[in-house]
């Protein structure tokens, strides 16, 4: 019987970007299903008293070195984004909408690449629109859709659910009741999925 892994993420997290691509491979190897759970990382940080590692200069500097090593190991392009950190609120509302529209894979691919491969300023609405159009997504539907109260409420609910489950950062994974935080814990996720 195949298992399901919950993937709690925010596209602005570079470690979630690395995890996203590896999790697809892990799911293929184990026959698992990935349950994508978009959340607002800023909301999680606020609720848990956590903060982005880049706010601690030595840790932030080391983190990008560490992530570059993982990116090379994984064969994934990772470029520092000069616009990081920006509000991911419209992007994560967009992920909720994409999930409702059945376009989440393409949306995630597009936005993750836009931020962490192409180093775009996806904190700017015009750049978001251009990026969505380039991917063949209906940018107008997204501009309108992320203003819908149901979309806003769903992102808030997801974020609250994440905090309620013990999530304090991204990426976070659950297989059943077992939780792992960080892309560097994926080997344990894979072992659990394969068991």
């Amino acid at each position: 019987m195949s298992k399901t892994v919950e993937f709690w993420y925010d596209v602005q997290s570079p470690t979630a970007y690395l995890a996203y691509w590896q999790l697809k491979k892990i799911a293929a190897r184990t026959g698992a299903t990935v349950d994508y759970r978009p959340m607002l990382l800023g909301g999680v940080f606020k609720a848990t008293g956590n903060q982005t590692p880049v706010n601690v200069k030595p840790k932030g500097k080391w983190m990008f070195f560490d992530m570059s090593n993982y990116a090379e190991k994984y064969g994934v392009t990772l470029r520092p984004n000069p616009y990081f950190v920006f509000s991911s609120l419209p992007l994560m509302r967009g992920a909720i909408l994409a999930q409702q529209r059945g376009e989440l894979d393409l949306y995630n691919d597009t936005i993750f690449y836009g931020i962490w491969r192409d180093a775009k300023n996806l904190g700017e609405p015009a750049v978001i629109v251009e990026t969505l159009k380039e991917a063949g997504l209906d940018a107008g539907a997204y501009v309108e859709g992320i203003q819908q109260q149901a979309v806003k409420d769903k992102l808030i609910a997801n974020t609250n659910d994440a905090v309620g489950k013990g999530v304090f950062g991204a990426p976070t994974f659950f297989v059943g009741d077992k939780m792992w935080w960080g892309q560097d814990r994926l080997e344990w996720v894979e072992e659990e999925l394969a068991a």
Side-chain angles (χ1 to χ4, degrees), residues 34-53:
V34 181
D35 180 6
Y36 294 97
R37 300 290 184 96
M39 63 180 185
L40 187 63
L41 188 55
V44 170
F45 283 168
K46 184 176 180 181
T48 61
N50 199 359
Q51 64 175 316
T52 175

Side-chain angles (χ1 to χ4, degrees), residues 134-194:
E134 287 171 358
L137 292 163
D138 184 344
Y142 278 86
V143 169
E144 182 180 321
I146 64 171
Q147 298 305 320
Q148 295 172 2
Q149 194 60 48
V151 169
K152 294 177 181 181
D153 290 346
K154 178 61 175 167
L155 181 58
I156 291 168
N158 276 13
T159 303
N160 289 338
D161 288 349
V163 171
K165 289 189 77 158
V167 173
F168 54 85
T172 299
F173 316 93
F174 284 90
V175 179
D177 292 332
K178 294 183 180 178
M179 179 182 112
W180 295 267
W181 169 71
Q183 67 84 25
D184 53 348
R185 302 301 192 272
L186 281 170
E187 65 180 290
W188 307 111
V189 173
E190 183 164 8
E191 283 186 14
E192 185 66 23
L193 290 172

Side-chain angles (χ1 to χ4, degrees), residues 83-116:
Y83 307 104
F84 179 71
V85 176
F86 51 80
S87 173
S88 62
L89 181 62
L91 298 174
M92 296 317 297
R93 285 179 181 167
I96 296 292
L97 185 63
Q99 203 164 37
Q100 293 173 354
R101 292 171 59 91
E103 300 173 337
L104 188 59
D105 284 344
L106 177 57
Y107 181 87
N108 281 338
D109 290 0
T110 300
I111 301 301
F112 269 129
Y113 271 147
I115 298 170
W116 298 114

Side-chain angles (χ1 to χ4, degrees), residues 14-33:
T15 51
Y17 165 77
L18 292 175
Y20 175 70
W21 300 108
Q22 295 314 299
L23 201 54
K24 289 179 179 237
K25 295 176 184 177
I26 289 169
R29 286 195 295 265
T30 61
T33 300

